Amino acid sequence: MTSDPPTETAPPASGNLPEPIVVRRGRFSPRQRQRFTRLIQYAVFVVIVGLVAVTADWNRLAESFFNTEVIGELFPEILRIALINTIVYTLLAFAFGLVVGLILALMRLSSIGPYRWFATAYIELFRGLPALLVLLAVAYGFPLAFPNLYIPGGGYGEIALGLGLTAAAYMAETIRAGIQAVPRGQMEAARTLGMSHTRAMISIILPQAFRVVIPPLTNEIILLTKDTSLVYILGLSLTERELTSFGRDAMTQYVSLTPLVMAGLLYLVITVPLSQLVRHLEVRTARKVGSVQH
Amino acid sequence: MSSTDTGRSPGTVQTDDPRSLAVRIRGLRKSFGTLDVLRGIDLDVRYGEVVCIIGPSGSGKSTLLRCTNLLETPSAGRIEVLGVEITDADVDIDAVRRHIGMVFQQFNLFPHLSVLDNLTIAQRRVLKRSRQEATRIAQENLARVGLSEKSQAYPNQLSGGQQQRAAIARALSMNPRLMLFDEPTSALDPELVGEVLTVMRNLAAEGMTMLVVTHEMAFAREVADRVVFMDGGVVVEDGPPSEVLTSPRQERTREFLHRVLDPTHLTRDELTGEEATTDSVAS
């Protein structure tokens, strides 16, 4: 500070260092402020939970949600018929949707225009329509329009088709994205080794694409599991009922909410492990994909 | 097309007899939309020859290489490879490609397969070799590139240099008559370049016909029989490395070599007048 540096155009000398930046301090530090707001949040949350716990009529709730007598009546049919049917409908629709979805995805990526147009039109159509409408059309509309039409598998075939047609559109888009996520160099490397386009697709591209696509496809199974509830509209026979229609019938029969609660819990028995699986797979895929190029 | 190789006699065949040529390109043009990348290329590669293609980024050298096995479809011109005119639309290009090995800048190993399976899958699916035979040939080629211990590893467990050597071994397992290299060391850390270039030099010494797009001037000088300098979609200069790299006849070749060999001492004109010479991600 003692010597005044020459105010020439010369570059800053050692006595002319830039001044340190100034950070003003408020009354509370950011950390203190954060602690305070969090405290208020906790307090509000505890008050609300406490109010609900105090005002609720717990006996009444237990009576209607978990009526043990009604629960006893539901078993074992709710497992033997309803749960099994839900799973079977889901798997049938998924299998149908997967096959059609794969074909549509390949058509969508084809170099042949009409294939692409058809696949695009299909996907837009069935993603835009409510699944319930498609299901109704297949189960009631088709037999009216084509009296001689025979859908293999009877009721099971109708449901696989009615739900699978919509699922195929979603899965096609997922699979297409998976195929496109495989770097172009993979196809080029396969082709330079003399593989045909089809051979390269089967041996090189699809195995990599499916690895990427397994988590979203598992998600699709979860959505399909819930969508099987739509078949209640079809007027199923006693042994064809799935969880929702079974629960609804039992609700009317026993005049109780409990059957629906039980049906709901059984849906969760299917969907919660699946979504945990999806999360696990996503983490694994992210790690794998991330480590391919380093 | 027999599998025995009769054409490997480097240096002895000097005629323009078409039968001595592994690659014969005439009047090759390629445009992407309105962009003319190749504007009339003539190029011959004799059997047993190592030809290095050099040139600034965007000069069309990678596109030229990729036309040689029809990864890019030429807009015009004629390409004969291993005695087959591949620009003839009736030619089964898959049948030709199995005789042409290609090595990419990004390696392009198949990440879902072990190194061994990377080397055997095309042998088995394309050449219909038995599992035992394909494995034997794969092991031979892994030994050739010094990766015998890595046959069970997956590509993501290998260093970049090891991946590229595995990719070379994969191409060699098809017993190609011609090898194409598209900037094989450009994606590698500097300390890993040497191991890949050594493998390539050994391959050249064994008499393999090689067409190499590269920025490695030392490699071109030592290994190449001919160096081709490309700029703006044409071949500017073509000759032995002692001529093209040491005493180039063309001004453009001189400028390019100056920029590549002494990159920290460019003149102000060179900085402002020309576009960047650093190679961005190819194609």
Short mmCIF file of all heavy atoms in Angstrom, two decimals, chain A residues 224-256:
data_model
loop_
_atom_site.label_atom_id
_atom_site.label_comp_id
_atom_site.label_asym_id
_atom_site.label_seq_id
_atom_site.Cartn_x
_atom_site.Cartn_y
_atom_site.Cartn_z
N LEU A 224 -50.39 -53.26 -17.92
CA LEU A 224 -51.33 -54.27 -18.44
C LEU A 224 -52.05 -54.98 -17.30
O LEU A 224 -53.24 -55.27 -17.39
CB LEU A 224 -50.56 -55.30 -19.27
CG LEU A 224 -50.57 -55.09 -20.78
CD1 LEU A 224 -49.70 -56.14 -21.45
CD2 LEU A 224 -51.98 -55.15 -21.31
N THR A 225 -51.33 -55.25 -16.21
CA THR A 225 -51.95 -55.90 -15.06
C THR A 225 -53.15 -55.09 -14.60
O THR A 225 -54.23 -55.62 -14.33
CB THR A 225 -50.93 -56.02 -13.91
OG1 THR A 225 -49.76 -56.65 -14.40
CG2 THR A 225 -51.51 -56.81 -12.76
N LYS A 226 -52.96 -53.77 -14.54
CA LYS A 226 -54.07 -52.92 -14.10
C LYS A 226 -55.16 -52.84 -15.16
O LYS A 226 -56.35 -52.79 -14.83
CB LYS A 226 -53.53 -51.53 -13.75
CG LYS A 226 -52.57 -51.59 -12.57
CD LYS A 226 -52.19 -50.22 -12.08
CE LYS A 226 -51.24 -49.56 -13.05
NZ LYS A 226 -50.92 -48.19 -12.62
N ASP A 227 -54.73 -52.85 -16.45
CA ASP A 227 -55.73 -52.74 -17.52
C ASP A 227 -56.59 -53.99 -17.65
O ASP A 227 -57.67 -53.93 -18.25
CB ASP A 227 -55.03 -52.46 -18.86
CG ASP A 227 -54.75 -50.97 -19.03
OD1 ASP A 227 -55.15 -50.19 -18.15
OD2 ASP A 227 -54.13 -50.58 -20.04
N THR A 228 -56.13 -55.13 -17.10
CA THR A 228 -56.99 -56.32 -17.19
C THR A 228 -58.30 -56.09 -16.45
O THR A 228 -59.28 -56.78 -16.69
CB THR A 228 -56.30 -57.57 -16.60
OG1 THR A 228 -55.87 -57.26 -15.27
CG2 THR A 228 -55.14 -58.01 -17.44
N SER A 229 -58.33 -55.10 -15.53
CA SER A 229 -59.58 -54.82 -14.81
C SER A 229 -60.68 -54.39 -15.78
O SER A 229 -61.87 -54.52 -15.49
CB SER A 229 -59.34 -53.72 -13.77
OG SER A 229 -58.98 -52.53 -14.42
N LEU A 230 -60.29 -53.88 -16.96
CA LEU A 230 -61.30 -53.41 -17.91
C LEU A 230 -62.20 -54.54 -18.40
O LEU A 230 -63.32 -54.29 -18.84
CB LEU A 230 -60.61 -52.76 -19.12
CG LEU A 230 -59.80 -51.49 -18.83
CD1 LEU A 230 -59.07 -51.03 -20.07
CD2 LEU A 230 -60.72 -50.38 -18.32
N VAL A 231 -61.72 -55.79 -18.33
CA VAL A 231 -62.51 -56.88 -18.90
C VAL A 231 -63.77 -57.14 -18.06
O VAL A 231 -64.62 -57.93 -18.47
CB VAL A 231 -61.71 -58.19 -19.05
CG1 VAL A 231 -60.44 -57.95 -19.84
CG2 VAL A 231 -61.39 -58.80 -17.71
N TYR A 232 -63.91 -56.47 -16.92
CA TYR A 232 -65.13 -56.67 -16.13
C TYR A 232 -66.36 -56.29 -16.95
O TYR A 232 -67.45 -56.80 -16.74
CB TYR A 232 -65.06 -55.84 -14.84
CG TYR A 232 -65.62 -54.46 -14.94
CD1 TYR A 232 -66.94 -54.20 -14.50
CD2 TYR A 232 -64.89 -53.41 -15.49
CE1 TYR A 232 -67.47 -52.94 -14.60
CE2 TYR A 232 -65.43 -52.15 -15.60
CZ TYR A 232 -66.72 -51.91 -15.14
OH TYR A 232 -67.26 -50.67 -15.26
N ILE A 233 -66.16 -55.41 -17.94
CA ILE A 233 -67.26 -54.93 -18.76
C ILE A 233 -67.79 -56.03 -19.68
O ILE A 233 -68.89 -55.95 -20.21
CB ILE A 233 -66.78 -53.72 -19.59
CG1 ILE A 233 -67.96 -52.85 -20.04
CG2 ILE A 233 -66.02 -54.15 -20.82
CD1 ILE A 233 -68.17 -51.67 -19.16
N LEU A 234 -67.02 -57.12 -19.86
CA LEU A 234 -67.41 -58.13 -20.84
C LEU A 234 -68.43 -59.11 -20.31
O LEU A 234 -68.85 -60.00 -21.04
CB LEU A 234 -66.17 -58.90 -21.32
CG LEU A 234 -65.10 -58.04 -22.00
CD1 LEU A 234 -63.99 -58.92 -22.54
CD2 LEU A 234 -65.70 -57.21 -23.12
N GLY A 235 -68.84 -58.99 -19.06
CA GLY A 235 -69.82 -59.94 -18.53
C GLY A 235 -69.25 -61.34 -18.50
O GLY A 235 -69.61 -62.21 -19.29
N LEU A 236 -68.28 -61.57 -17.59
CA LEU A 236 -67.56 -62.83 -17.59
C LEU A 236 -68.35 -63.89 -16.84
O LEU A 236 -69.14 -63.57 -15.95
CB LEU A 236 -66.21 -62.63 -16.89
CG LEU A 236 -65.32 -61.55 -17.52
CD1 LEU A 236 -64.23 -61.16 -16.54
CD2 LEU A 236 -64.73 -62.03 -18.82
N SER A 237 -68.11 -65.15 -17.22
CA SER A 237 -68.69 -66.25 -16.46
C SER A 237 -67.95 -66.35 -15.12
O SER A 237 -66.89 -65.75 -14.94
CB SER A 237 -68.56 -67.56 -17.23
OG SER A 237 -67.22 -68.00 -17.19
N LEU A 238 -68.50 -67.14 -14.19
CA LEU A 238 -67.96 -67.18 -12.83
C LEU A 238 -66.48 -67.53 -12.81
O LEU A 238 -65.70 -66.96 -12.05
CB LEU A 238 -68.75 -68.19 -11.99
CG LEU A 238 -70.14 -67.71 -11.54
CD1 LEU A 238 -70.84 -68.79 -10.75
CD2 LEU A 238 -70.02 -66.42 -10.73
N THR A 239 -66.09 -68.50 -13.64
CA THR A 239 -64.70 -68.94 -13.60
C THR A 239 -63.78 -68.03 -14.42
O THR A 239 -62.58 -68.21 -14.40
CB THR A 239 -64.57 -70.37 -14.15
OG1 THR A 239 -65.20 -70.41 -15.43
CG2 THR A 239 -65.22 -71.37 -13.21
N GLU A 240 -64.35 -67.10 -15.17
CA GLU A 240 -63.52 -66.21 -15.99
C GLU A 240 -63.18 -64.91 -15.26
O GLU A 240 -62.41 -64.11 -15.76
CB GLU A 240 -64.24 -65.84 -17.29
CG GLU A 240 -64.25 -66.94 -18.33
CD GLU A 240 -65.09 -66.57 -19.54
OE1 GLU A 240 -65.93 -65.64 -19.43
OE2 GLU A 240 -64.90 -67.19 -20.59
N ARG A 241 -63.79 -64.72 -14.07
CA ARG A 241 -63.65 -63.42 -13.42
C ARG A 241 -62.20 -63.17 -12.96
O ARG A 241 -61.52 -64.09 -12.50
CB ARG A 241 -64.59 -63.33 -12.22
CG ARG A 241 -66.04 -63.19 -12.62
CD ARG A 241 -66.92 -63.17 -11.43
NE ARG A 241 -66.73 -64.38 -10.63
CZ ARG A 241 -67.26 -64.54 -9.43
NH1 ARG A 241 -67.99 -63.58 -8.89
NH2 ARG A 241 -67.07 -65.66 -8.76
N GLU A 242 -61.76 -61.94 -13.09
CA GLU A 242 -60.45 -61.56 -12.57
C GLU A 242 -60.69 -60.70 -11.32
O GLU A 242 -61.83 -60.57 -10.86
CB GLU A 242 -59.60 -60.87 -13.63
CG GLU A 242 -60.28 -59.89 -14.55
CD GLU A 242 -60.75 -58.69 -13.79
OE1 GLU A 242 -59.92 -57.93 -13.26
OE2 GLU A 242 -61.98 -58.53 -13.71
N LEU A 243 -59.65 -60.11 -10.78
CA LEU A 243 -59.72 -59.50 -9.45
C LEU A 243 -60.81 -58.44 -9.34
O LEU A 243 -61.58 -58.43 -8.39
CB LEU A 243 -58.35 -58.90 -9.09
CG LEU A 243 -57.30 -59.91 -8.64
CD1 LEU A 243 -55.93 -59.24 -8.54
CD2 LEU A 243 -57.68 -60.54 -7.32
N THR A 244 -60.88 -57.54 -10.32
CA THR A 244 -61.82 -56.43 -10.19
C THR A 244 -63.27 -56.91 -10.27
O THR A 244 -64.11 -56.54 -9.43
CB THR A 244 -61.57 -55.37 -11.27
OG1 THR A 244 -60.25 -54.86 -11.10
CG2 THR A 244 -62.56 -54.22 -11.18
N SER A 245 -63.58 -57.78 -11.26
CA SER A 245 -64.96 -58.24 -11.38
C SER A 245 -65.33 -59.13 -10.20
O SER A 245 -66.45 -59.08 -9.69
CB SER A 245 -65.17 -58.97 -12.71
OG SER A 245 -64.12 -59.85 -12.98
N PHE A 246 -64.36 -59.91 -9.75
CA PHE A 246 -64.60 -60.75 -8.57
C PHE A 246 -64.89 -59.87 -7.35
O PHE A 246 -65.85 -60.10 -6.61
CB PHE A 246 -63.36 -61.62 -8.31
CG PHE A 246 -63.55 -62.61 -7.21
CD1 PHE A 246 -63.97 -63.90 -7.48
CD2 PHE A 246 -63.29 -62.26 -5.89
CE1 PHE A 246 -64.13 -64.83 -6.46
CE2 PHE A 246 -63.47 -63.17 -4.86
CZ PHE A 246 -63.89 -64.46 -5.15
N GLY A 247 -64.08 -58.85 -7.18
CA GLY A 247 -64.25 -57.95 -6.05
C GLY A 247 -65.58 -57.21 -6.10
O GLY A 247 -66.25 -57.02 -5.09
N ARG A 248 -65.96 -56.81 -7.31
CA ARG A 248 -67.22 -56.07 -7.43
C ARG A 248 -68.40 -56.97 -7.08
O ARG A 248 -69.33 -56.58 -6.37
CB ARG A 248 -67.37 -55.53 -8.85
CG ARG A 248 -68.53 -54.57 -8.97
CD ARG A 248 -68.85 -54.23 -10.39
NE ARG A 248 -69.19 -55.40 -11.18
CZ ARG A 248 -69.80 -55.34 -12.35
NH1 ARG A 248 -70.11 -54.17 -12.87
NH2 ARG A 248 -70.08 -56.43 -13.01
N ASP A 249 -68.39 -58.21 -7.62
CA ASP A 249 -69.49 -59.14 -7.33
C ASP A 249 -69.59 -59.41 -5.83
O ASP A 249 -70.68 -59.41 -5.25
CB ASP A 249 -69.27 -60.46 -8.08
CG ASP A 249 -69.46 -60.28 -9.57
OD1 ASP A 249 -69.88 -59.17 -9.98
OD2 ASP A 249 -69.17 -61.23 -10.32
N ALA A 250 -68.41 -59.62 -5.20
CA ALA A 250 -68.42 -59.92 -3.77
C ALA A 250 -68.87 -58.71 -2.97
O ALA A 250 -69.53 -58.84 -1.93
CB ALA A 250 -67.02 -60.36 -3.33
N MET A 251 -68.53 -57.51 -3.46
CA MET A 251 -68.95 -56.29 -2.78
C MET A 251 -70.48 -56.22 -2.72
O MET A 251 -71.06 -55.90 -1.69
CB MET A 251 -68.37 -55.07 -3.51
CG MET A 251 -68.81 -53.73 -2.93
SD MET A 251 -67.94 -52.37 -3.72
CE MET A 251 -68.65 -52.42 -5.37
N THR A 252 -71.13 -56.54 -3.85
CA THR A 252 -72.58 -56.51 -3.89
C THR A 252 -73.16 -57.60 -2.99
O THR A 252 -74.14 -57.39 -2.28
CB THR A 252 -73.08 -56.74 -5.33
OG1 THR A 252 -72.09 -56.28 -6.22
CG2 THR A 252 -74.38 -56.01 -5.59
N GLN A 253 -72.50 -58.75 -3.03
CA GLN A 253 -73.02 -59.90 -2.30
C GLN A 253 -72.96 -59.69 -0.79
O GLN A 253 -73.93 -59.95 -0.08
CB GLN A 253 -72.22 -61.15 -2.69
CG GLN A 253 -72.79 -62.44 -2.15
CD GLN A 253 -71.89 -63.62 -2.53
OE1 GLN A 253 -71.10 -63.51 -3.46
NE2 GLN A 253 -72.04 -64.72 -1.82
N TYR A 254 -71.81 -59.20 -0.30
CA TYR A 254 -71.62 -59.07 1.15
C TYR A 254 -71.89 -57.66 1.65
O TYR A 254 -71.75 -57.39 2.84
CB TYR A 254 -70.20 -59.47 1.54
CG TYR A 254 -69.85 -60.89 1.14
CD1 TYR A 254 -68.92 -61.13 0.17
CD2 TYR A 254 -70.49 -61.97 1.76
CE1 TYR A 254 -68.60 -62.42 -0.21
CE2 TYR A 254 -70.18 -63.27 1.39
CZ TYR A 254 -69.24 -63.49 0.40
OH TYR A 254 -68.93 -64.76 0.03
N VAL A 255 -72.25 -56.74 0.74
CA VAL A 255 -72.49 -55.34 1.09
C VAL A 255 -71.34 -54.82 1.96
O VAL A 255 -71.53 -54.38 3.09
CB VAL A 255 -73.85 -55.15 1.82
CG1 VAL A 255 -74.25 -53.66 1.76
CG2 VAL A 255 -74.92 -56.03 1.22
N SER A 256 -70.17 -54.90 1.40
CA SER A 256 -68.98 -54.51 2.16
C SER A 256 -67.90 -54.02 1.20
O SER A 256 -67.81 -54.48 0.06
CB SER A 256 -68.46 -55.71 2.96
OG SER A 256 -67.14 -55.46 3.39
#
